[in-house]
Amino acid sequence: MKQDVYDVLIVGAGPIGIACALEAQKAGLHYMVIEKGPLVNSLYHYPTNMHFFSTSEKLEIDSIPFISKEAKPSKQEALEYYRRIATSSQLHIKLFEEVMHVDKATYFQVKTNKNQYTSRHIIIATGFYDLPNKLQVPGEELDKVSHYYNDPHLYAFQKVAIVGASNSAVDAALEIYRKGGEVTMIVRGKAIGDRVKYWVKPDIENRIKEGSIKAYFNATIERIDDQELLVNQQGRSFAIDNDFVLALTGYRPNFSFLNMLGIDLQGDKQIPVYNDRTMETNISGVYLAGVICGGMETHKWFIENSRVHATMIMDHITASRVQIAVG
């Protein structure tokens, strides 16, 4: 039996992967989306009470209106929005299926944990939320340590250390404090991050100033024990009592997957090589879309400024098909 050959295989069913699928569908291409988790996997694992920095219209794809209750939509509203797009557009998506290996002969041979696919082109739209930046300290493997934050109720009346000063760290600190947790922030820098949401930054700074939330700046964790932490602040080491650690120090793309594909990565930030007019990488037929394009600079690309990648990629693929047909 002859194996089905896809025009495009899209790896990742986040908002940008969905945008790519919509463009492939409009172009009449034979496509499939593969996602190793649930639909919009990264958004699904965001904290329960999270609201986006962007307004709803900036999260829209394919000019499909996103109506939210408030100016800053919630996680649940976003899940509903992208799910309705996928169902109403009858997108071809395989969920809970992980790409294990890719070979290139005449076409790309893509092996997953469930199937094997043949495709003329591949789009990588995998995001970065699945691989946390580790602290690399003794005790990080303890059950009390997590690199993800979900709901503040778990930490009520507990001594919680939050490592980091980004949006996720600040949101967790404020929510846990307001649910009765005793919050201590361990911050490598000298202040709360400049990219923290402008309506939240004064709140956390005031809570720290009044002493409701303890913060150690210019500090790092040296060791995590069952009931305490060893903290180093500018060369001075001291222990603090602790029940839980939330190491919210950011996440990184799956660079080993990009290496497997042969995509070149440049500099300390591991920026993938691609053509910024077509989004094609140094590997012919392999494209990047979304936050994956920024390497370690995960703050560079968002839904609102990478939605255009889908159109750019499909324009290049369809133009190539026309050239081949004419030739």
Side-chain angles (χ1 to χ4, degrees):
M1 181 177 176
K2 186 176 180 181
Q3 188 175 14
D4 197 14
V5 178
Y6 289 93
D7 294 313
V8 185
L9 198 68
I10 302 164
V11 184
I16 304 305
I18 291 174
C20 290
L22 290 169
E23 292 298 323
Q25 191 176 72
K26 287 191 289 185
L29 299 177
H30 186 35
Y31 74 93
M32 178 61 70
V33 183
I34 298 174
E35 167 59 59
K36 71 177 183 180
L39 189 71
V40 289
N41 182 49
S42 293
L43 300 190
Y44 176 75
H45 287 100
Y46 281 177
T48 298
N49 300 323
M50 192 210 77
H51 281 73
F52 285 85
F53 187 96
S54 301
T55 54
S56 58
E57 68 270 14
K58 292 184 178 180
L59 302 178
E60 293 175 354
I61 54 177
D62 200 36
S63 300
I64 300 170
F66 182 174
I67 308 300
S68 60
K69 184 178 178 181
E70 299 176 7
K72 311 290 185 180
S74 69
K75 165 189 170 178
Q76 295 302 323
E77 288 175 320
L79 292 179
E80 179 70 15
Y81 172 72
Y82 295 116
R83 184 174 65 248
R84 289 296 300 273
I85 289 176
T87 54
S88 63
S89 300
Q90 297 182 324
L91 298 181
H92 304 307
I93 301 175
K94 297 284 187 71
L95 299 174
F96 300 100
E97 188 165 339
E98 184 175 3
V99 175
M100 309 302 293
H101 192 73
V102 178
D103 285 318
K104 176 67 183 294
T106 303
Y107 301 128
F108 292 100
Q109 304 296 325
V110 180
K111 184 178 181 180
T112 73
N113 59 332
K114 295 181 179 179
N115 294 294
Q116 186 160 324
Y117 303 88
T118 300
S119 183
R120 295 180 174 87
H121 307 88
I122 298 177
I123 300 173
I124 309 301
T126 49
F128 69 98
Y129 199 61
D130 291 326
L131 297 174
N133 295 322
K134 296 293 187 70
L135 299 176
Q136 305 294 342
V137 299
E140 190 170 9
E141 75 285 353
L142 293 173
D143 291 340
K144 64 185 279 186
V145 181
S146 176
H147 295 88
Y148 296 90
Y149 165 69
N150 184 27
D151 191 285
H153 177 79
L154 176 67
Y155 306 103
F157 315 125
Q158 301 297 294
K159 295 179 175 65
V160 184
I162 297 176
V163 186
S166 62
N167 277 297
S168 57
V170 167
D171 286 344
L174 289 169
E175 288 186 5
I176 293 169
Y177 153 67
R178 292 193 166 107
K179 296 299 182 184
E182 184 179 321
V183 177
T184 300
M185 299 185 73
I186 313 295
V187 183
R188 182 182 294 273
K190 63 182 180 180
I192 296 299
D194 291 335
R195 289 193 292 271
V196 169
K197 291 172 282 195
Y198 65 84
W199 65 93
V200 175
K201 197 166 187 284
D203 190 0
I204 188 66
E205 290 174 336
N206 286 332
R207 302 294 74 73
I208 292 171
K209 184 177 180 180
E210 71 186 15
S212 298
I213 293 175
K214 178 68 176 178
Y216 294 105
F217 295 104
N218 299 308
T220 58
I221 291 179
E222 290 186 341
R223 189 180 71 245
I224 302 171
D225 295 326
D226 288 333
Q227 297 180 18
E228 65 179 19
L229 302 177
L230 186 65
V231 178
N232 186 296
Q233 186 180 43
Q234 296 182 311
R236 180 177 70 94
S237 294
F238 54 93
I240 62 173
D241 293 339
N242 173 258
D243 298 309
F244 288 97
V245 176
L246 283 171
L248 304 179
T249 51
Y251 309 90
R252 64 177 62 213
N254 188 343
F255 292 122
S256 61
F257 181 59
L258 298 182
N259 285 329
M260 179 185 70
L261 290 165
I263 297 172
D264 290 337
L265 305 175
Q266 295 185 331
D268 294 339
K269 300 297 185 182
Q270 298 285 278
I271 308 295
V273 172
Y274 65 93
N275 184 319
D276 60 9
R277 297 187 305 276
T278 67
M279 307 310 295
E280 188 174 29
T281 68
N282 58 286
I283 304 300
S284 178
V286 178
Y287 300 80
L288 300 180
V291 71
I292 192 74
C293 300
M296 288 296 294
E297 294 183 329
T298 53
H299 61 277
K300 184 175 181 180
W301 295 102
F302 304 94
I303 297 170
E304 61 190 75
N305 67 352
S306 60
R307 296 174 293 187
V308 296
H309 293 171
T311 304
M312 294 164 66
I313 293 169
M314 293 308 159
D315 284 349
H316 188 249
I317 289 175
T318 53
S320 299
R321 284 165 58 89
V322 169
Q323 290 174 1
I324 291 172
V326 172

